[in-house]
């Protein structure tokens, strides 16, 4: 194997080091961004408990989440609205959807004479096929 020629000056290697250092900084910045996103919680998600949060040194117990209650009248209104939605959907499903265009064309029925002609033509084709096969062999 031939030996590689050593460059006279190390400027090319120094430039490579600078480039790789920039790449490392960029990757570290992306990792930090992802870690920051993981630490944030979206709407509707429960808050982090002290044992899982970064503030694990606090010894105050976490208060149990208070459940929100709904009045009977509010529940009745919601149930009535849901029943109305279901009734409307059921009513819509029971009504057959008719196309707005012209009526469907009638289904064609083949006459007995037409069916007989097709059968005879098929028999004639198969007979010719068998005759050609027999002549080949």
């Amino acid at each position: 194997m031939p030996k590689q020629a050593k460059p006279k000056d190390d400027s090319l290697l120094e430039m490579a080091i600078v480039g790789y250092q920039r790449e490392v900084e960029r990757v570290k910045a992306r990792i930090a961004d992802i870690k920051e996103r993981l630490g944030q919680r979206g709407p509707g998600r429960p808050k982090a408990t002290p044992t899982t949060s970064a503030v694990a040194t606090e010894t105050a117990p976490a208060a149990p989440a208070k459940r929100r209650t709904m009045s009977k009248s509010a529940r009745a209104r919601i149930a009535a609205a849901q029943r109305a939605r279901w009734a409307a959907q059921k009513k819509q499903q029971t009504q057959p959807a008719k196309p707005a265009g012209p009526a469907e064309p009638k289904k064609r029925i083949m006459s007995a004479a037409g069916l007989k002609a097709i059968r005879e033509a098929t028999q004639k084709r198969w007979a010719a096929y068998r005759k050609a096969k027999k002549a080949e062999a």
Side-chain angles (χ1 to χ4, degrees):
M1 283 180 83
K3 292 185 178 180
Q4 290 182 346
K6 190 173 183 182
K8 301 251 186 224
D9 61 322
D10 293 335
S11 62
L12 182 63
L13 295 175
E14 290 172 1
M15 289 171 53
I17 289 173
V18 169
Y20 284 129
Q21 286 175 342
R22 284 188 183 166
E23 188 73 22
V24 167
E25 290 171 5
R26 200 178 94 231
V27 170
K28 283 183 180 178
R30 283 188 176 177
I31 289 172
D33 182 45
I34 291 171
K35 284 183 178 180
E36 184 180 324
R37 285 186 185 180
L38 285 174
Q40 293 178 349
R41 298 208 172 266
R45 293 183 63 191
K47 293 181 180 178
T49 60
T51 57
T52 59
S53 69
V55 189
T57 58
E58 290 183 8
T59 58
K66 186 176 180 182
R67 294 190 60 148
R68 295 167 69 180
T69 57
M70 194 179 301
S71 68
K72 287 185 178 183
S73 62
R75 285 178 54 116
R77 283 195 311 269
I78 291 171
Q82 184 63 38
R83 279 193 294 274
R85 283 192 293 272
W86 277 104
Q89 185 177 359
K90 236 179 181 182
K91 185 178 179 183
Q92 193 177 27
Q93 287 176 351
T94 57
Q95 295 173 349
K98 293 276 183 173
E104 291 184 29
K106 291 185 178 179
K107 188 174 179 182
R108 296 180 181 179
I109 300 172
M110 189 179 298
S111 66
L115 187 60
K116 183 179 176 186
I118 290 173
R119 285 182 181 149
E120 289 173 356
T122 305
Q123 288 175 352
K124 187 177 177 181
R125 269 195 308 275
W126 275 107
Y129 175 76
R130 288 188 197 103
K131 187 176 180 182
K133 276 286 201 185
K134 195 173 188 181
E136 276 183 23

